[in-house]
Structures are given as C-alpha cells and as structure tokens.
Amino acid sequence: MKKALIIGLLVIFVLISGCTSTTTVTPASTTPGPTTPAQTSTEQQVNIKDFSFVPDTAEVPIGTTVTWVNEDNVPHTVTSVSRIFDSGGINPGKSYSYKFDQAGTFEYSCTNHPTMPHGKIIVGG
C-alpha cells in the first residue's frame, strides 16, 4: 500500500512538473538604436509688393526663419506690433530675416507706411 502511494505521488509529481514551463524574460537591449534626426528649421518668404505683405498671414513651425523681400521701389520696414523684431529700413531689392523660436501670433507692420495692411506670422509647436 505504501509502495502504491509513493509511486502514485511520484507519478503526480512527474505529471505536474511536465505541465509547467519556465519562461525566461530577457530585458530589452540597452544599446541605442538608430535615432530620428532633429527637425531642421524651415524657411518662409514674405514678399513686400504693391504696398502689401504677400502672403499677409503665414503659419510656420517653431524654428522657422521668415525672410521679407522688398519688391517695391520704396523702402519699407517689418516691425512687430509688440516690438519683438524690427527690420529698420529695407531698401528696394533687399531683405530682412527673423527666426521664430517661440510659439505665438506675431502681427507686424511697415512703420514707413502706417496705412499699409498689417501682416501676421502664426508660429505653432
């Protein structure tokens, strides 16, 4: 009887051990993989033509350099309403650039010609 009990327990033990499996978990590799290059800044051009900013509104990402090109035959300025940037006089055929490093809406005008329509740069994140 004891022999049958011991054999029975051994059979149960063998069956139970055969029904379980061991899973080995390997941690993720700590070796850095390829990286995505940082976004490079972009450029946007605004023309000053016929006493207007063309386009009058530009939407750009942070880090964009906006260049205003004076295509009129008189000097103009590009001056932000909040005085964040001011080109001073831009002679005909010349340009002025400003890099937008912060999100926001930046309205600007030509201080030489107060009746000239304002322009706007909208910088997103």
Side-chain angles (χ1 to χ4, degrees), residues 3-4 7 12 15-16 20 29 35 40 42 46-47 58 63 70 97 100 102-104 106 113 119-121 125:
K3 197 176 199 182
I7 292 174
I12 292 173
L15 288 175
I16 291 174
T20 61
S29 172
T35 58
T40 57
T42 58
V46 176
N47 297 318
N70 185 356
S97 296
F100 289 89
Q102 296 180 21
F106 302 88
H113 306 100
K120 188 184 303 180
I121 304 294

Side-chain angles (χ1 to χ4, degrees), residues 13-28:
F13 178 73
V14 170
L15 288 175
I16 291 174
S17 358
C19 291
T20 61
S21 63
T22 304
T23 303
T24 304
V25 177
T26 306

Side-chain angles (χ1 to χ4, degrees), residues 9 68 105 116 118 123:
L9 288 175
W68 289 265
T105 299
M116 191 170 152
H118 289 199
V123 183

Side-chain angles (χ1 to χ4, degrees), residues 16-118:
I16 291 174
S17 358
C19 291
T20 61
S21 63
T22 304
T23 303
T24 304
V25 177
T26 306
S29 172
T30 56
T31 305
T35 58
T36 303
Q39 179 181 347
T40 57
S41 62
T42 58
E43 296 180 2
Q44 170 74 42
Q45 181 171 313
V46 176
N47 297 318
I48 307 169
K49 186 172 182 167
D50 299 325
F51 290 84
S52 295
F53 296 106
V54 181
D56 62 346
T57 301
E59 293 185 34
V60 300
I62 292 174
T64 298
T65 298
V66 177
T67 301
W68 289 265
V69 179
N70 185 356
E71 295 182 354
D72 269 342
N73 58 2
V74 297
H76 288 287
T77 70
V78 175
T79 306
S80 73
V81 172
S82 60
R83 302 285 189 216
I84 293 174
F85 56 89
D86 184 0
S87 65
I90 307 171
N91 288 321
K94 300 296 179 181
S95 64
Y96 166 74
S97 296
Y98 182 83
K99 184 175 182 178
F100 289 89
D101 290 327
Q102 296 180 21
T105 299
F106 302 88
E107 187 176 351
Y108 60 90
S109 66
C110 174
T111 57
N112 291 352
H113 306 100
T115 60
M116 191 170 152
H118 289 199

